[in-house]
Amino acid sequence: MCAVLALACAAALLFGEPSRALAAGPCSGKVMYVAAHEDDTLLFQSPQLLEDVRANKCVQTVFTTAGDAGKLGNGGKYWKGREAGAEAAYAQMGAVANTWTHSEPVVNGHKVHLATLSGAPGISIVYLRLPDGGPDGKGFPPMPEPGGPSLTKLWRSVNGGTPAITEIEAVDGSAKYTYSGLVSTLTAMIESFAPLEINTQNYSFPELVGLDHSDHIVTGKFTQVAQLPYAAAHLLRGYQGYENFVAGKSEMAANVTGTQLDDKEDAFFAYTPHDEACGTDEDCEAAPYPEWLQREYVAGKESVPGANAGPSQTVVPGASVQLDGSGSFDPGDTTPTLTYAWIQTAGPKVTLSSPTVAKPTFTAPAIPTTLVFSLKVKNGVENGSHESLAASVAVNVENPPPPPPNNGGGGGGGNPPPPQSPKENIVVKLSKTKVKLVVGKQAKHVVKVIAPGKSRVKCRGQLPKGASCRVNAQGNVVIESSKSVKRTGTYHLVIDFAWQAGTDQRPLTVVFKRPSS
């Protein structure tokens, strides 16, 4: 038995074509839950789930299976009841009426089922409705031996083992998934929602069948693989399941007590009337549910850190400059030990005091220019070291303004300001420093280059495949994007100028964003 919660937040989650916002609401912070069955998050990932909901975080939960237990007759009454139970539980946790809106967005070419809580649109649930594989992963009759389809068999199609299948179909016929199709669909949801935390089931089991339900184990493993391409800073947690309390005993002490336990039970008991599980404390006395409700343990975690290269700076030629990467962080560690890697990506070459410390220093060039630096950080965790995305910062080197005229205090003509060099009288700039484009749409932006007597303009830097930077006959910069651009991201270009007084550079940021819902 397992649960899935989807609480989506203020940033809309877009699900392929047709584009549709998964959910949007006045919530903050992003947490995604991925579980196999409709009661799993209630039993094994709470009170963390409760705290996230009540802290008004944006939470999105994905149920991978229908939790049907092979009971597919009677129009799917059993598994549909479990979905209704999940919705009742989340409404109870959100302290709003149990009223939901339902839709069927398309993610990575696969139709999924979305329920959004009307009174709290930051809470939503996504159902994939794949077949329950049973505790041993064999699937259920009426399929002949070795049984019906299961996530365990799909996992084996790539990772080895028998029996294996190459495709699995949702119990309602809404979608079919290969191994890569399921992974890429989960990845698409993760990247679109962009959570800081992903909470799933215990993916650390070496075997697919053992102390925990096979659907739990494989859902955790699929989630662990799916989040690997997601390079933004995030924390992945895998929660223990049945192994919390097995064969009437547990090596794990009860750690959910008092008000937390009461609230956790209230949410679970809002679910149980829709399932065949127990509905009250008395009904549960002979079952493992009380022991599971009294425990919540993280079996393993891994995290990707986030780099922060600090704010842009404007300094005078020859100044001592300090970069600041101290805002970098590791969401999986409150006292992170990070390693730093600074590189210079634009401007006249300068020498950093150390490229591997949080706050390196350097001496600014003697002429006006723009320098750009990139920072990546790595963490050290049990499951290996993970590197952040690059963060960039610009340092603009500019001459100081001329001193005000000295009138001598007597109203006379005073001393004239000192003469300036030709280059100090020249204003060099771009008409805009940031261009915003939408992935999947054709567009062209012209950025005017403002520089007297310009004789050469060049564009340096990389853009995604399908986008380009060029200079037109008028010496202006043209940013073009085709429909083939699919990935969002921020790209930093450098525009080189040459004119009669010398050379200069200016940074130009190009941002590819998702279509608005």
Side-chain angles (χ1 to χ4, degrees):
M1 297 192 173
C2 317
V4 177
L5 161 64
L7 301 150
C9 49
L13 172 57
L14 300 180
F15 267 2
E17 295 296 335
S19 293
R20 184 189 299 271
L22 235 195
C27 51
S28 61
K30 297 181 180 181
V31 184
M32 176 176 279
Y33 285 79
V34 186
H37 315 110
E38 286 77 1
D39 60 350
D40 285 349
T41 54
L42 303 175
L43 288 169
F44 307 121
Q45 297 172 315
S46 185
Q48 181 64 56
L49 171 61
L50 262 168
E51 293 171 356
D52 287 340
V53 172
R54 293 182 176 179
N56 202 34
K57 290 186 178 181
C58 309
V59 185
Q60 179 177 51
T61 303
V62 182
F63 290 109
T64 57
T65 83
D68 54 274
K71 303 173 184 179
L72 298 175
N74 201 15
K77 180 179 179 180
Y78 176 69
W79 60 262
K80 289 178 181 178
R82 297 192 71 178
E83 291 183 359
E87 292 168 16
Y90 299 132
Q92 194 276 338
M93 286 187 288
V96 296
N98 186 23
T99 304
W100 298 72
T101 57
H102 295 82
S103 59
E104 295 183 332
V106 174
V107 187
N108 192 44
H110 298 86
K111 183 167 69 176
V112 301
H113 309 273
L114 167 68
T116 304
L117 188 55
S118 301
I123 299 179
S124 61
I125 301 176
V126 184
Y127 306 101
L128 302 188
R129 294 178 177 171
L130 300 176
D132 189 324
D136 55 10
K138 292 182 178 180
F140 289 94
M143 293 285 187
E145 287 296 333
S150 71
L151 285 173
T152 300
K153 295 176 182 178
L154 188 68
W155 177 266
R156 289 172 178 152
S157 68
V158 169
N159 297 284
T162 57
I165 57 175
T166 58
E167 188 175 65
I168 191 169
E169 184 175 11
V171 297
D172 62 350
S174 57
K176 294 181 180 180
Y177 296 84
T178 61
Y179 176 97
S180 62
L182 179 56
V183 169
S184 59
T185 298
L186 291 172
T187 300
M189 286 191 280
I190 293 169
E191 291 185 337
S192 183
F193 186 64
L196 183 61
E197 297 178 13
I198 304 171
N199 294 323
T200 189
Q201 299 180 275
N202 188 355
Y203 54 85
S204 64
F205 280 111
E207 303 295 333
L208 303 183
V209 178
L211 295 177
D212 201 1
H213 193 296
S214 66
D215 284 348
H216 298 183
I217 297 171
V218 179
T219 290
K221 289 184 178 293
F222 269 112
T223 304
Q224 196 273 337
V225 172
Q227 60 86 42
L228 291 176
Y230 177 48
H234 70 278
L235 168 65
L236 173 71
R237 297 189 190 98
Y239 284 79
Q240 288 189 357
Y242 287 169
E243 72 270 29
N244 263 345
F245 189 86
V246 180
K249 64 179 181 178
S250 176
E251 295 181 359
M252 314 301 293
N255 60 355
V256 181
T257 59
T259 302
Q260 276 193 332
L261 179 58
D262 293 340
D263 292 344
K264 182 176 180 178
E265 288 178 340
D266 287 345
F268 181 64
F269 294 151
Y271 163 84
T272 54
H274 303 269
D275 196 352
E276 296 175 356
C278 51
T280 66
D281 289 320
E282 291 76 14
D283 294 337
C284 287
E285 285 182 357
Y289 295 104
E291 284 75 18
W292 289 335
L293 289 167
Q294 293 168 27
R295 291 167 172 81
E296 180 198 58
Y297 280 95
V298 175
K301 66 178 183 178
E302 55 190 87
S303 60
V304 175
N308 184 333
S312 61
Q313 303 182 52
T314 300
V315 302
V316 299
S320 177
V321 184
Q322 183 179 65
L323 301 177
D324 187 359
S326 62
S328 302
F329 68 102
D330 182 354
D333 192 346
T334 55
T335 56
T337 301
L338 298 174
T339 57
Y340 298 80
W342 291 91
I343 60 171
Q344 184 179 350
T345 58
K349 184 66 176 178
V350 299
T351 301
L352 296 179
S353 60
S354 172
T356 59
V357 298
K359 296 181 178 182
T361 60
F362 66 92
T363 300
I367 60 171
T369 187
T370 296
L371 312 174
V372 179
F373 299 89
S374 174
L375 170 66
K376 290 184 178 181
V377 295
K378 285 186 178 181
N379 60 4
V381 295
E382 292 180 5
N383 294 327
S385 180
H386 295 267
E387 185 176 64
S388 72
L389 292 173
S392 295
V393 63
V395 178
N396 299 306
V397 183
E398 299 180 0
N399 284 320
N406 182 6
N407 294 322
N415 298 321
Q420 294 177 301
S421 68
K423 187 171 181 180
E424 290 173 334
N425 289 319
I426 294 175
V427 177
V428 180
K429 63 180 181 179
L430 303 175
S431 62
K432 60 177 73 174
T433 58
K434 179 180 287 188
V435 173
K436 295 182 179 180
L437 299 164
V438 177
V439 297
K441 290 189 177 181
Q442 186 171 351
K444 179 172 76 172
H445 285 265
V446 177
V447 180
K448 292 184 178 180
V449 176
I450 303 168
K454 58 191 179 188
S455 60
R456 186 184 76 245
V457 179
K458 289 186 177 180
C459 179
R460 293 192 289 115
Q462 291 186 339
L463 292 174
K465 186 178 180 181
S468 64
C469 176
R470 63 180 176 86
V471 179
N472 63 17
Q474 292 74 40
N476 295 318
V477 177
V478 180
I479 305 296
E480 293 180 290
S481 176
S482 69
K483 293 182 180 179
S484 64
V485 178
K486 299 300 183 184
R487 296 186 68 86
T488 60
T490 300
Y491 299 82
H492 300 280
L493 304 179
V494 175
I495 310 304
D496 291 326
F497 307 96
W499 65 97
Q500 68 272 20
T503 61
D504 210 338
Q505 298 97 19
R506 289 291 181 269
L508 176 62
T509 301
V510 181
V511 179
F512 288 88
K513 61 180 183 178
R514 299 187 185 280
S516 57
S517 56

